[in-house]
Amino acid sequence: MQRKTIGYTFIILMFGIFGLIIYGAYSPARKAQKQRIVCFKFKEGIKNEAVEKHMREFAMLKHEIPQIISYSAGTTLKSEEGKTATYDVMHYLTFQTEADIETYGRNEKYQEFVKRNQDNWEDVMVINSDIRQ
């Protein structure tokens, strides 16, 4: 009799674990509601190595600041008219709330990034927006 009880308990336990795995796989991820676009114009004469360092360090913030839901970046392109862009690189970040954006801005890792790189920047433009679904 005790053997049957252990067997049934094992089966119920396995179904419970399976259910938790399925729940974790199909539970919705955090949904992005807010977007921040950060554009940087580098000072004249800044070397490509400094720009690449900037790009790597900014990208690492995604792994260091939990409020960032997603991140992508790139260098700007010439317009259809062949005009050069005002800014050199753009970073796209998404967040759940405006409070998350504020927390990101106060984060120690972000502040360190700014201190290490700000001497290379001529101008910075930041745009925050809602994300329409």
Side-chain angles (χ1 to χ4, degrees):
M1 186 69 177
Q2 189 176 11
R3 194 174 203 173
K4 277 186 176 181
T5 305
I6 292 173
Y8 288 131
T9 303
F10 178 74
I11 290 171
I12 291 171
L13 180 65
M14 293 308 290
F15 275 117
I17 291 171
F18 180 72
L20 289 173
I21 291 170
I22 295 299
Y23 174 77
Y26 290 103
S27 62
R30 295 186 306 160
K31 193 171 185 181
Q33 300 289 324
K34 307 294 178 192
Q35 176 173 259
R36 172 173 272 210
I37 301 170
V38 186
C39 306
F40 291 93
K41 170 100 178 134
F42 290 93
K43 291 179 180 176
E44 191 74 31
I46 294 297
K47 295 182 179 178
N48 196 35
E49 294 83 27
V51 175
E52 288 303 317
K53 177 181 171 273
H54 161 100
M55 297 296 283
R56 280 191 311 275
E57 288 182 6
F58 203 112
M60 287 305 298
L61 294 175
K62 163 71 171 118
H63 305 290
E64 297 171 342
I65 302 175
Q67 288 77 19
I68 300 172
I69 293 175
S70 69
Y71 166 80
S72 61
T75 56
T76 56
L77 305 172
K78 290 185 178 185
S79 68
E80 294 82 26
E81 298 85 31
K83 295 179 184 176
T84 34
T86 305
Y87 293 89
D88 300 309
V89 299
M90 299 174 72
H91 302 270
Y92 303 89
L93 303 106
T94 59
F95 301 88
Q96 281 186 305
T97 64
E98 288 182 50
D100 286 346
I101 294 173
E102 292 172 14
T103 301
Y104 148 84
R106 291 188 309 267
N107 186 284
E108 180 182 317
K109 296 289 185 179
Y110 175 72
Q111 295 298 323
E112 290 172 9
F113 166 80
V114 170
K115 286 178 187 173
R116 281 192 307 273
N117 291 278
Q118 67 185 353
D119 291 339
N120 295 332
W121 305 332
E122 181 178 316
D123 192 20
V124 179
M125 179 175 64
V126 177
I127 301 169
N128 295 325
S129 69
D130 288 322
I131 297 175
R132 295 203 177 191
Q133 305 300 326

